Amino acid sequence: MARWYIIHAYSGFENKVRDAIISEAERLGLSEGVEEVQVPTETITEVKRGKKVQVERKFMPGYVLAKLNMTDDVYHLVKNTPKVTGFLGSGNKPQPISEKEASRYFGGVAEAQSAPKREISVDYEIGDSVKVLDGPFASFNGIVEELDFDKAKVKVGVSIFGRATPVELDFEQVELSK
């Protein structure tokens, strides 16, 4: 019976490790032992140059999940794959994880729909000089005073008639001044 295992790989090489395990299993005729190999990713929203962009990000950098029928041949296939440092587990014995735990890493389709993950990152921070792109303060420059990631709002101190006035804007309404 196939079980899920967590494979530790060099960070940044997760996709290459996944592809190498799959192709090597086919080459050695062990495809029935390697049912599925995946790199857990999540989709996040980033604000770049004032625009929201959907980005795929590795959920667990340095790890690959594989559904394997663990035999000696499959174990050695994975262990000898370039850029693999080993299995998660105690000693030399790979420790399987439950189906439920594995589905957490993939954010199962039903889970993703019921509780969508929403993470936003911006390319500016508190104290940075930014330019307002649209709205009533378009083309004004200001200093970031506060970031509210829950509401996707930024508070910018804009100089109006020589006085700094705090203005609350959406993340995509401002960009980092050059």
Side-chain angles (χ1 to χ4, degrees), residues 75-89:
Y75 173 81
H76 291 295
L77 160 79
V78 174
K79 191 85 170 108
N80 295 327
T81 300
K83 310 287 190 244
V84 168
T85 57
F87 286 92
L88 215 59

Side-chain angles (χ1 to χ4, degrees), residues 4-48:
W4 284 101
Y5 294 89
I6 299 177
I7 300 167
H8 190 269
Y10 289 4
S11 192
F13 290 92
E14 298 89 351
N15 292 333
K16 283 187 166 81
V17 166
R18 176 195 60 210
D19 298 342
I21 290 171
I22 293 169
S23 64
E24 192 66 8
E26 287 173 7
R27 190 181 74 77
L28 296 173
L30 296 171
S31 295
E32 71 282 343
V34 180
E35 283 188 19
E36 200 174 335
V37 184
Q38 293 191 17
V39 178
T41 58
E42 62 184 341
T43 303
I44 62 166
T45 305
E46 289 185 348
V47 177
K48 290 190 178 177

Side-chain angles (χ1 to χ4, degrees), residues 94-105:
Q95 195 68 43
I97 60 172
S98 69
E99 194 75 37
K100 185 178 178 185
E101 191 175 354
S103 71
R104 260 191 24 225
Y105 295 121

Side-chain angles (χ1 to χ4, degrees), residues 28-75:
L28 296 173
L30 296 171
S31 295
E32 71 282 343
V34 180
E35 283 188 19
E36 200 174 335
V37 184
Q38 293 191 17
V39 178
T41 58
E42 62 184 341
T43 303
I44 62 166
T45 305
E46 289 185 348
V47 177
K48 290 190 178 177
R49 294 190 182 94
K51 293 182 175 61
K52 284 186 181 178
V53 181
Q54 297 286 339
V55 178
E56 280 280 308
R57 185 177 78 177
K58 288 181 182 75
F59 183 68
M60 299 182 341
Y63 294 98
V64 177
L65 268 71
K67 192 169 189 174
L68 308 169
N69 286 314
M70 190 56 74
T71 62
D72 286 345
D73 290 337
V74 172
Y75 173 81

